[in-house]
Amino acid sequence: LMSFALFNIYKLVDIVGWNTHTYEVMTESDAMLLNMVNIETGLRGFVASGDEKFLEPFTKGQQDFSNAFKKAKSLTSDNPSQQARLDKLMADHTQFLEVATQLKALRQDATAGKITVEDLLKEFKAGKDKVAMDAFRGRIAEFSQAESDLLVIRSASLAATASLTTTTLNVGGLGLCIMT
């Protein structure tokens, strides 16, 4: 009985570790989304104003996104489905950055007088950045949902193992009282 209780305690520790791992992945997912929003915000501010100070969140967001992505990739290295989702996420991120880079260059050209602001607005109104960002948002939602689903399974396993361990310890305690 004592061996069974100890086995369950070790199992509880393992399950708690996996729950913590899932929360770490979810944190990186949130960081990726936040940084994509920062990139988008910086881009839109720059396109609207032409003021280079708006490029700070654009630039910092790219660096921070890369860090969060690498950490998520590392944390999910044992999960082929999540790795595939991350690969698609990176493709969406890259697509957004291509559109953003074009808009940024057009804004710089408009500020320098090489093209008209109307030309810039025409390209901006085409909404290619929004399409790319919406694709990213959908993909990050899928990635996050998969982690949430894992957490539900792991939490149920934690509850079941905790209940079994509690029952085992109670039965053992009763048995000890009867024997003494």
Side-chain angles (χ1 to χ4, degrees):
L1 202 56
M2 186 58 114
S3 297
F4 187 68
L6 281 173
F7 172 79
N8 280 348
I9 289 170
Y10 289 125
K11 187 175 176 184
L12 282 170
V13 169
D14 184 55
I15 295 168
V16 167
W18 279 109
N19 276 4
T20 301
H21 175 270
T22 301
Y23 282 117
E24 289 172 353
V25 174
M26 292 169 86
T27 296
E28 297 311 317
S29 178
D30 290 345
M32 286 186 287
L33 178 59
L34 172 66
N35 286 297
M36 279 296 287
V37 169
N38 287 341
I39 294 166
E40 179 185 40
T41 300
L43 171 68
R44 289 174 179 257
F46 180 66
V47 168
S49 71
D51 190 336
E52 299 273 335
K53 73 180 177 192
F54 286 99
L55 291 177
E56 182 185 331
F58 179 82
T59 304
K60 183 158 177 21
Q62 289 178 63
Q63 178 184 11
D64 293 345
F65 176 89
S66 179
N67 293 337
F69 179 84
K70 287 175 188 170
K71 190 157 184 193
K73 218 32 182 160
S74 174
L75 287 168
T76 61
S77 63
D78 63 332
N79 186 331
S81 297
Q82 286 296 68
Q83 290 285 294
R85 286 184 189 96
L86 282 169
D87 291 342
K88 290 176 183 175
L89 241 165
M90 182 52 84
D92 290 334
H93 171 73
T94 301
Q95 176 62 37
F96 180 83
L97 286 181
E98 287 172 8
V99 171
T101 300
Q102 290 170 349
L103 285 171
K104 180 181 163 205
L106 286 172
R107 180 57 189 164
Q108 289 166 329
D109 287 350
T111 301
K114 295 178 184 176
I115 65 168
T116 67
V117 172
E118 289 74 28
D119 291 335
L120 167 66
L121 290 177
K122 181 181 174 188
E123 187 62 29
F124 185 64
K125 286 178 183 178
K128 294 176 188 173
D129 61 316
K130 182 181 181 331
V131 169
M133 188 64 178
D134 287 348
F136 179 86
R137 281 188 174 100
R139 198 85 66 193
I140 198 82
E142 291 171 16
F143 180 80
S144 295
Q145 185 60 54
E147 286 301 318
S148 293
D149 293 346
L150 283 172
L151 188 59
V152 167
I153 293 165
R154 291 171 178 163
S155 294
S157 179
L158 178 64
T161 303
S163 177
L164 184 59
T165 304
T166 301
T167 301
T168 302
L169 292 173
N170 284 334
V171 169
L174 278 172
L176 220 97
C177 287
I178 292 171
M179 289 172 51
T180 55

